[in-house]
Amino acid sequence: MEKITFEPNWKMSIVGEGKDYPAIVPGSVYNDLLAAGRIEDPYYRDNEDAALALMGNDFEYTGTFNIDKAGLNDADEVILRFNGLDTLADITLNGETLGSADNMHRIWEYRVLSLLKQGENEIRIIFHSPTKYIAEEFKKDPAILGTEDAMCGFPKIRKGHYMFGWDWGPRLPDAGIWKEVELLKVKKARFVSTYIHQEFNEDMSKVSLSVKSKITIENKTQGNGANSIETYRDNELTVTKDCGFDVKVTVTSPDGTVLFDRANAFDSLTIDNPKLWWPNGFGEHPLYTVKIELFDDNVQIDEVEKRIGLRKLEISTQKDEYGAEFAQVVNGVKFFAMGADYIPEDNMLPRCNSERTRKLLEDCVAANFNSIRVWGGGLYPADYFFDICDELGLVVWQDFMFACANYRLTRHFEENILTELKEQIRRLNHHASLGLWCGNNEMEMFVDQGTWGAKFEIKSDYVKMYEYLFPRLLEEEDPDRFYWPASPSTGGGFDYPNDPNRGDVHYWEVWHGNKPFTEYRQFYFRYLSEFGFQSFPSMRTIEKFTEPEDRNVFSYIMEKHQRNAAANGKIMNYMEQTFLYPNSLDTLVYASQLLQAEAIRYGVEHFRRNRGRCMGTVYWQLNDCWPVASWASIDYYGRWKALHYFAKRFFAPVIVSCEEEGLLTQSLNVNAEPFDVKKSIRLNVTNETMQEKKGIVSWQLRDPAGKVLEEKEEEITVDALSAKWLEKIDMHEAKLYENYVSFQLKMAGEVVSCGTVLFCAPKHFRFKDPQLKVTVNGDEITVSASAYVKSVEIRNENDDLILSDNFFDLNGDSKTVKVLQGKADGITVRSVYDIR
C-alpha cells in the first residue's frame, strides 16, 4: 500500500452564513473561526457561552486537490481515509455521495478509484450540529441519561463525552476534520491487522515471537462503486501458508542489530537473553523494532512497522486473607502502581501535539510515576502518547470511551462501537506500555445503583456490552491483554463494584463527602484508581481568563471556571479547618494548593505504608483541558501545582513517612470538653525497588524555632518491594501548639526522604516569623530560615519555574534547589506563616 501525496486546499463555512473561512486540516471549527477572528477565545471569561451557541449550526468543509490518474494505473483500488471526523458528517467526492460518519473515535474509509478525476477533485463534508442532534435524540429517548455536568443527550453520540461539559470541563462540543486525511493506493491486498504474540520460557531467558496477520483483498473485478470500507472488511482474510500471500518479518534489537531479516512469519522467532522492558523505577525500557511485510509473487505490496517491548505484563486478582488482591505484575514482579488519571489535554484539539504530550508525560516521570490511567470520558490517545509511554516506562490503564452514562444497545450502536473498539485495539495492542483494557468509567457502580434511570433493560444492555461483547472481541484481537469490565469493579456481575477489599476503588468521601483527610486511614483499598482534592491554578493562570474585577473566588467568572457545583465553597470549608483566613486571592490560591497536596499525600503515604494489601494509588487528576479550578496537579498551561511536587516526594522509590496521632486524628473542636490528647508518631520506610535498602532513620522533637528538644536514630534494613514499620513513639509530653516532629531517612550519608508533622492544625501552631531569605546563584536557588517553616514556595515573576524541589519544609536551616525550567527572575518565597 502506498500513500499518495495529497494536500487539499481546505476552506470552511457556517451553513447559511454565506462566507468562507480558510481551514486547517487536521483542525476544527473553533480553531478555524478563532484564527479568522470570527470568534473570541472560548477560554476567556465567559466566551464559552457564545462558542457553545455557535454549535447549533451546521458547517461545511471543502477541499480541492489535483490527481494525475496516470500514477494510478497499477492500483487495484484507491482508499480515501479519514482518520477522524468529529462527528456527524455527510461526505461527497466530486458530487458523489461516499457515506455518512457518526463516530469521532473511528476511521472512515471509502473506495474512490472510479470517482477520481484527472486534474482537480473536490471533497465536501457537511458536519451537522452535535447540540441539535443530542437534544433531538434526548426528546426521543429521555430515559438514556448521564452525568448532570454534561449536556442532556450526550450518551447518544459517539463523541468525546467531556466535550459536552464535565465537572472540570467546559461545554465546547467542537466539530471538524480532527485527524489526518489520506489517499492510499492499494495493489491487490493490504494489512488490516498485525498481532505480535510473545511467549517466554519459565525463567524469561528466551522469548518466541509469532505474528498473526489479517488482510483485505482488492481487485478490479470487484467493481469500482464508491462504497464504505465496511462493505468488504467483513471479508478479512487471515494470512496462512497456503493463502497465496507471504508475510516476512524483520526484527531489530534496541542497539540496531538485525536479529531476523525477512524471516518467514510462520516460523518461530526466538530471541535469547531478551532485553526486558520494565516500568519506570524498575529498569530500562528497551524497544525492539518489528517490520512486517506482505508479498505477492515476491513483490512487496504492503508493510507495517511497530516498536515493541519484550515483557510479560499481567494483573493478579488472586484471593487472599482480606478478599482478593488487584496487583499489576511485570516480568513476574508485583509492583505498586503510582500515577494519576489522564484526561484530554484540550477542548481545542488542534492545540494538542506530541511535544506538549511529551512534556506532560516527562513531568509524570519527574514525579516518579510508573503508571497512568486514561479516563473513559475523553478520547483514545494518539499514537505518540503510547510511543512516549513506551519510551518512558509508564504503564497505561486504558479505558474504553464510555463514562458516567447509560447506553441503549441497538443493532446500529452495537456495530458502531464494536468497529470503534476493533480499530483502537488493533492500533494500540503492540505497545509495551499498554497494561490493560477497561470497559468503562464508573458504570457498573452507577447502573447497579439505578443511577440516571438505569432500569432492567439498561442493566441487561450493560452486561451484554461490557461482560460479553467486549471481552469476546478482545479474545480475538488482543488475547494477551488483561480486560477489566469497569472502574471501579470487583470483576463484573454487579458484585459490590466498589468493594474496598477486592478489585479497584474510586474513593471520594474525602472531597465530595466532606470527610477529613484522616478518613483515608480507615481503609486499605487494594488498588485506588480514583481519589482527589481540588485547588485553584496559579494566579498567572487565573489572570489569563479574568479581568481584575473577576478575581474573587465567588465572582461569576471564577465560578464559570469551576465546574464542580459549589466546590469553591468546599475548598473554603476545608481551608477553614486547616489554615488562617487568607488575606488575598493570591494567598488563597497558595493555601488551596497546599490543601490539595496534603490531602493526597495523607492518602498515598498511608496506602504505601500498607503495601502488599494495597497495590496502587492513581490520583484524580493529572492535567486540565482548559484553565480551571480542578483536581489537576498540573494546570492547563503546564504549571506544577504543589501536589505535583508532593507527588515527586510521596511517589519516590524509597520514602519515610509518619503515622501521627494528634488533634487531627481526634478532634479539631477548640471548644470541646478538655480531654487527654493522644500524641504519638510511628515511622515507616517503604521500598518500591527490587533491591534491599539499608539506611538510618532519625526523628527530632522541635520547638517553633526549630531547636531540637529530643531526638533518636536507628539503623534499618528494608527488604525489596516491601514496607517496614518502626516502633510507635509516645509524644505525650509534646506541647500541642508549640512542638513538632521532623524525620529523615539517610542512605549512604544522604537524606533521601524527610518530612515534618504537627499535632494540631497549622492555623493553631505558634509559628515564628522565619525571616525567609533567598539567594540565586546561576541555576541554583537557596532559601534560608531562622525558624521552622512549612511548605516554602519559590516563584518567579511568570510562575513558570520547575525546580528540583518546592513546597518543602525547613527546620530553621537552609535548602538549595536546582532550576530545571524557567528563568530565576524576580524570585519570591512564602510559607504557611504567610497565610494570614
Side-chain angles (χ1 to χ4, degrees), residues 229-241:
I229 203 71
E230 282 72 35
T231 61
Y232 64 90
R233 270 202 179 162
D234 290 338
N235 297 320
E236 291 177 358
L237 173 69
T238 299
V239 180
T240 60
K241 290 182 179 180

PDB file of all heavy atoms in Angstrom, residues 229-241:
ATOM      1  N   ILE A 229     -15.837   1.306   3.470  1.00  0.00           N
ATOM      2  CA  ILE A 229     -14.896   0.197   3.638  1.00  0.00           C
ATOM      3  C   ILE A 229     -15.541  -0.959   4.395  1.00  0.00           C
ATOM      4  O   ILE A 229     -15.170  -2.122   4.219  1.00  0.00           O
ATOM      5  CB  ILE A 229     -13.622   0.690   4.369  1.00  0.00           C
ATOM      6  CG1 ILE A 229     -12.429  -0.229   4.066  1.00  0.00           C
ATOM      7  CG2 ILE A 229     -13.829   0.801   5.853  1.00  0.00           C
ATOM      8  CD1 ILE A 229     -11.912  -0.122   2.685  1.00  0.00           C
ATOM      9  N   GLU A 230     -16.551  -0.675   5.225  1.00  0.00           N
ATOM     10  CA  GLU A 230     -17.189  -1.741   5.998  1.00  0.00           C
ATOM     11  C   GLU A 230     -17.826  -2.796   5.098  1.00  0.00           C
ATOM     12  O   GLU A 230     -18.047  -3.924   5.526  1.00  0.00           O
ATOM     13  CB  GLU A 230     -18.241  -1.158   6.935  1.00  0.00           C
ATOM     14  CG  GLU A 230     -17.673  -0.506   8.195  1.00  0.00           C
ATOM     15  CD  GLU A 230     -16.979   0.803   7.903  1.00  0.00           C
ATOM     16  OE1 GLU A 230     -17.434   1.547   7.007  1.00  0.00           O
ATOM     17  OE2 GLU A 230     -15.956   1.087   8.576  1.00  0.00           O
ATOM     18  N   THR A 231     -18.104  -2.463   3.846  1.00  0.00           N
ATOM     19  CA  THR A 231     -18.758  -3.436   2.975  1.00  0.00           C
ATOM     20  C   THR A 231     -17.839  -4.581   2.611  1.00  0.00           C
ATOM     21  O   THR A 231     -18.309  -5.614   2.171  1.00  0.00           O
ATOM     22  CB  THR A 231     -19.252  -2.770   1.674  1.00  0.00           C
ATOM     23  OG1 THR A 231     -18.142  -2.224   0.967  1.00  0.00           O
ATOM     24  CG2 THR A 231     -20.259  -1.670   1.973  1.00  0.00           C
ATOM     25  N   TYR A 232     -16.535  -4.414   2.782  1.00  0.00           N
ATOM     26  CA  TYR A 232     -15.670  -5.551   2.490  1.00  0.00           C
ATOM     27  C   TYR A 232     -14.698  -5.873   3.623  1.00  0.00           C
ATOM     28  O   TYR A 232     -13.916  -6.800   3.522  1.00  0.00           O
ATOM     29  CB  TYR A 232     -14.894  -5.363   1.174  1.00  0.00           C
ATOM     30  CG  TYR A 232     -13.911  -4.218   1.127  1.00  0.00           C
ATOM     31  CD1 TYR A 232     -12.586  -4.412   1.502  1.00  0.00           C
ATOM     32  CD2 TYR A 232     -14.283  -2.968   0.680  1.00  0.00           C
ATOM     33  CE1 TYR A 232     -11.668  -3.387   1.423  1.00  0.00           C
ATOM     34  CE2 TYR A 232     -13.381  -1.941   0.596  1.00  0.00           C
ATOM     35  CZ  TYR A 232     -12.064  -2.142   0.971  1.00  0.00           C
ATOM     36  OH  TYR A 232     -11.166  -1.117   0.902  1.00  0.00           O
ATOM     37  N   ARG A 233     -14.771  -5.161   4.739  1.00  0.00           N
ATOM     38  CA  ARG A 233     -13.960  -5.587   5.873  1.00  0.00           C
ATOM     39  C   ARG A 233     -14.473  -6.889   6.456  1.00  0.00           C
ATOM     40  O   ARG A 233     -13.760  -7.598   7.133  1.00  0.00           O
ATOM     41  CB  ARG A 233     -13.932  -4.503   6.956  1.00  0.00           C
ATOM     42  CG  ARG A 233     -12.782  -3.536   6.764  1.00  0.00           C
ATOM     43  CD  ARG A 233     -12.442  -2.843   8.042  1.00  0.00           C
ATOM     44  NE  ARG A 233     -11.316  -1.938   7.830  1.00  0.00           N
ATOM     45  CZ  ARG A 233     -11.000  -0.960   8.654  1.00  0.00           C
ATOM     46  NH1 ARG A 233     -11.738  -0.749   9.721  1.00  0.00           N
ATOM     47  NH2 ARG A 233      -9.974  -0.188   8.429  1.00  0.00           N
ATOM     48  N   ASP A 234     -15.736  -7.199   6.200  1.00  0.00           N
ATOM     49  CA  ASP A 234     -16.252  -8.483   6.658  1.00  0.00           C
ATOM     50  C   ASP A 234     -15.537  -9.637   5.970  1.00  0.00           C
ATOM     51  O   ASP A 234     -15.617 -10.780   6.416  1.00  0.00           O
ATOM     52  CB  ASP A 234     -17.758  -8.579   6.387  1.00  0.00           C
ATOM     53  CG  ASP A 234     -18.550  -7.650   7.293  1.00  0.00           C
ATOM     54  OD1 ASP A 234     -18.020  -7.282   8.354  1.00  0.00           O
ATOM     55  OD2 ASP A 234     -19.683  -7.304   6.939  1.00  0.00           O
ATOM     56  N   ASN A 235     -14.851  -9.342   4.867  1.00  0.00           N
ATOM     57  CA  ASN A 235     -14.141 -10.381   4.118  1.00  0.00           C
ATOM     58  C   ASN A 235     -12.658 -10.409   4.443  1.00  0.00           C
ATOM     59  O   ASN A 235     -11.840 -10.770   3.601  1.00  0.00           O
ATOM     60  CB  ASN A 235     -14.340 -10.152   2.608  1.00  0.00           C
ATOM     61  CG  ASN A 235     -15.800 -10.271   2.218  1.00  0.00           C
ATOM     62  OD1 ASN A 235     -16.492 -11.141   2.715  1.00  0.00           O
ATOM     63  ND2 ASN A 235     -16.255  -9.385   1.346  1.00  0.00           N
ATOM     64  N   GLU A 236     -12.317 -10.029   5.674  1.00  0.00           N
ATOM     65  CA  GLU A 236     -10.922 -10.099   6.083  1.00  0.00           C
ATOM     66  C   GLU A 236     -10.427 -11.535   6.004  1.00  0.00           C
ATOM     67  O   GLU A 236     -11.143 -12.484   6.339  1.00  0.00           O
ATOM     68  CB  GLU A 236     -10.759  -9.575   7.509  1.00  0.00           C
ATOM     69  CG  GLU A 236     -10.983  -8.083   7.645  1.00  0.00           C
ATOM     70  CD  GLU A 236     -10.892  -7.618   9.093  1.00  0.00           C
ATOM     71  OE1 GLU A 236     -10.690  -8.482   9.981  1.00  0.00           O
ATOM     72  OE2 GLU A 236     -11.029  -6.410   9.329  1.00  0.00           O
ATOM     73  N   LEU A 237      -9.168 -11.662   5.586  1.00  0.00           N
ATOM     74  CA  LEU A 237      -8.563 -12.977   5.420  1.00  0.00           C
ATOM     75  C   LEU A 237      -7.376 -13.102   6.356  1.00  0.00           C
ATOM     76  O   LEU A 237      -6.487 -12.243   6.367  1.00  0.00           O
ATOM     77  CB  LEU A 237      -8.099 -13.153   3.964  1.00  0.00           C
ATOM     78  CG  LEU A 237      -7.298 -14.411   3.637  1.00  0.00           C
ATOM     79  CD1 LEU A 237      -8.187 -15.643   3.725  1.00  0.00           C
ATOM     80  CD2 LEU A 237      -6.687 -14.289   2.234  1.00  0.00           C
ATOM     81  N   THR A 238      -7.358 -14.150   7.174  1.00  0.00           N
ATOM     82  CA  THR A 238      -6.189 -14.430   7.990  1.00  0.00           C
ATOM     83  C   THR A 238      -5.114 -15.058   7.110  1.00  0.00           C
ATOM     84  O   THR A 238      -5.379 -16.033   6.397  1.00  0.00           O
ATOM     85  CB  THR A 238      -6.536 -15.382   9.140  1.00  0.00           C
ATOM     86  OG1 THR A 238      -7.525 -14.760   9.981  1.00  0.00           O
ATOM     87  CG2 THR A 238      -5.308 -15.705   9.975  1.00  0.00           C
ATOM     88  N   VAL A 239      -3.911 -14.493   7.152  1.00  0.00           N
ATOM     89  CA  VAL A 239      -2.835 -14.979   6.293  1.00  0.00           C
ATOM     90  C   VAL A 239      -2.334 -16.319   6.824  1.00  0.00           C
ATOM     91  O   VAL A 239      -1.929 -16.445   7.982  1.00  0.00           O
ATOM     92  CB  VAL A 239      -1.678 -13.961   6.228  1.00  0.00           C
ATOM     93  CG1 VAL A 239      -0.566 -14.482   5.330  1.00  0.00           C
ATOM     94  CG2 VAL A 239      -2.182 -12.627   5.703  1.00  0.00           C
ATOM     95  N   THR A 240      -2.371 -17.332   5.946  1.00  0.00           N
ATOM     96  CA  THR A 240      -1.850 -18.661   6.267  1.00  0.00           C
ATOM     97  C   THR A 240      -0.823 -19.055   5.213  1.00  0.00           C
ATOM     98  O   THR A 240      -0.626 -18.350   4.216  1.00  0.00           O
ATOM     99  CB  THR A 240      -2.985 -19.694   6.290  1.00  0.00           C
ATOM    100  OG1 THR A 240      -3.612 -19.726   4.996  1.00  0.00           O
ATOM    101  CG2 THR A 240      -4.029 -19.338   7.350  1.00  0.00           C
ATOM    102  N   LYS A 241      -0.189 -20.206   5.413  1.00  0.00           N
ATOM    103  CA  LYS A 241       0.868 -20.626   4.495  1.00  0.00           C
ATOM    104  C   LYS A 241       0.361 -20.844   3.077  1.00  0.00           C
ATOM    105  O   LYS A 241       1.104 -20.691   2.112  1.00  0.00           O
ATOM    106  CB  LYS A 241       1.518 -21.914   5.021  1.00  0.00           C
ATOM    107  CG  LYS A 241       2.350 -21.711   6.275  1.00  0.00           C
ATOM    108  CD  LYS A 241       3.005 -23.026   6.704  1.00  0.00           C
ATOM    109  CE  LYS A 241       3.859 -22.817   7.945  1.00  0.00           C
ATOM    110  NZ  LYS A 241       4.509 -24.086   8.385  1.00  0.00           N
TER     111      LYS A 241
END
